[in-house]
Amino acid sequence: MAGFPTSFGKEDLLKCARGELFGEGNAQLPAPPMLMMDRITEISGDGGEHGKGHVIAEFDITPDLWFFDCHFPGNPIMPGCLGLDGLWQLTGFNLGWRGWQGRGYALGVGEVKLTGMVRPDRKMLTYRVNFTKAVQTRRLTMGVADGIVEADGEVIYQVKDMKVALSES
C-alpha cells in the first residue's frame, strides 16, 4: 500500500525511527534501544487472519541486550511490557505503511496474557499482529489488532484488542 515494500530490514526501521520513511509528522518507530524489532518480514493491509491487515516481525535476542542487566540482576528476564510495546510499535507502523497520516499513539489493550519469559538464552522473538479493524475517517484514524509474541517458536504473549491511533495534532 502507498507504494511501500512488504518487508523491511534494520536500516529501513532506523529510517522510520528518524522520521524518514513515512514523512515528517507521520508514524515513527522509537529509536534503539526502545526499537523492539530487527526486521519486518511481512506486512499487508488486507491479509492476516481477518483479512484486515497483518504484520510479522522478528527481534534477535542476545545476552547483551540492555534490559537483561537491570531486570533483574542475577535473574535476567525481558520485561513483558517491552513485548507488548513491540506489538504496539508494529500496529502503528502498519497504519503508516498504509499511507495514513499522523503520529502514532497507543490507546490501550483489551486483554494481555503472559505465559512465558524471554531469558538471555532465547534466540529470536517473532511478533504476529492481525488487524480486526482499520478505520480512517475525517475524525479518526485507528487500528485494532490482536497479537502474539513467540520466543523460538513458543507462544509466550497473547494480546486482544490493541488500539493504536494516528493524530495530526
Side-chain angles (χ1 to χ4, degrees), residues 63-79:
D64 62 344
L65 285 167
W66 66 273
F67 44 78
F68 286 134
D69 285 338
C70 56
H71 190 272
F72 298 95
N75 185 25
I77 301 168
M78 179 180 125

Side-chain angles (χ1 to χ4, degrees), residues 60-131:
D60 298 323
I61 302 299
T62 59
D64 62 344
L65 285 167
W66 66 273
F67 44 78
F68 286 134
D69 285 338
C70 56
H71 190 272
F72 298 95
N75 185 25
I77 301 168
M78 179 180 125
C81 60
L82 293 179
L84 175 59
D85 198 68
L87 291 167
W88 268 324
Q89 290 174 24
L90 290 163
T91 302
F93 185 93
N94 183 286
L95 299 178
W97 177 85
R98 292 169 189 250
W100 294 0
Q101 304 294 298
R103 295 187 183 273
Y105 299 94
L107 297 178
V109 62
E111 182 179 320
V112 178
K113 290 182 184 175
L114 307 178
T115 57
M117 292 183 268
V118 180
R119 295 192 177 273
D121 62 342
R122 296 288 194 162
K123 300 298 179 214
M124 188 173 67
L125 297 186
T126 303
Y127 298 96
R128 299 182 189 279
V129 175
N130 286 287
F131 280 76

